[in-house]
Amino acid sequence: HLLTLAAAKQRELRGEASARRAEVTAMGNELRRAEAEATLLLAAMATERRAGAELGLQLEVAHGQVDGARATAKEEVYQTKERAMSEWHRTTADLRTANEKLSHSLTAARVELLRLEGQRAKAWEHNDFLRTHLRQRARG
């Protein structure tokens, strides 16, 4: 009867260990997906920085071209620059926020992964203990 209970418990623990392995695999996949998203966001931020630099150069060229109509040109350049900077700041803030959220998600995923790996290790230790115990009982 004890052997049957121990075998049932061992099957249960194997099932739990299998579930934990599946959870760890799923967390690993989620971590890789989140890391890929972070990489894409970083690339988008770099593109936005380049676009901002290009807009700055375009504004300098425009300023040089409007010497004849200085008062009008200064107002146009100022407005264009303000819109570009406002858009750049907004986009950069959005990207930074998204990057921070991803960073927090990645950290939480890593913590959960470590927790699950610890549980899996404990389950393996318990399985080994039960295996040893069952062998000793079978012998003796």
Side-chain angles (χ1 to χ4, degrees):
H1 181 68
L2 278 177
L3 218 51
T4 305
L5 286 176
K9 184 64 177 179
Q10 187 175 17
R11 279 192 303 277
E12 177 187 335
L13 288 173
R14 282 184 185 145
E16 288 176 11
S18 178
R20 295 284 190 281
R21 282 192 298 277
E23 286 179 37
V24 167
T25 300
M27 292 298 291
N29 290 339
E30 178 64 19
L31 180 63
R32 283 186 288 284
R33 185 198 61 73
E35 286 173 340
E37 282 184 29
T39 300
L40 290 174
L41 282 173
L42 290 173
M45 285 178 69
T47 300
E48 287 299 321
R49 282 191 203 106
R50 283 192 299 277
E54 289 172 15
L55 281 173
L57 290 174
Q58 290 173 6
L59 288 175
E60 287 179 23
V61 169
H63 184 67
Q65 292 174 344
V66 293
D67 273 354
R70 176 164 249 128
T72 303
K74 279 186 177 180
E75 183 60 28
E76 289 175 4
V77 168
Y78 175 77
Q79 289 177 4
T80 302
K81 182 179 176 184
E82 285 300 311
R83 281 192 305 271
M85 292 303 287
S86 174
E87 179 67 21
W88 184 82
H89 284 300
R90 186 190 60 74
T91 302
T92 301
D94 290 348
L95 289 171
R96 190 175 294 118
T97 300
N99 195 31
E100 287 170 3
K101 286 179 183 176
L102 271 177
S103 177
H104 290 302
S105 295
L106 283 173
T107 299
R110 286 184 179 116
V111 166
E112 182 64 12
L113 187 59
L114 288 174
R115 184 187 69 77
L116 289 172
E117 286 174 349
Q119 286 181 347
R120 184 179 74 181
K122 287 179 185 176
W124 278 106
E125 287 174 16
H126 192 65
N127 275 350
D128 289 342
F129 167 78
L130 285 176
R131 222 176 273 120
T132 303
H133 184 68
L134 286 174
R135 278 192 208 116
Q136 288 173 354
R137 295 209 66 179
R139 288 185 200 139

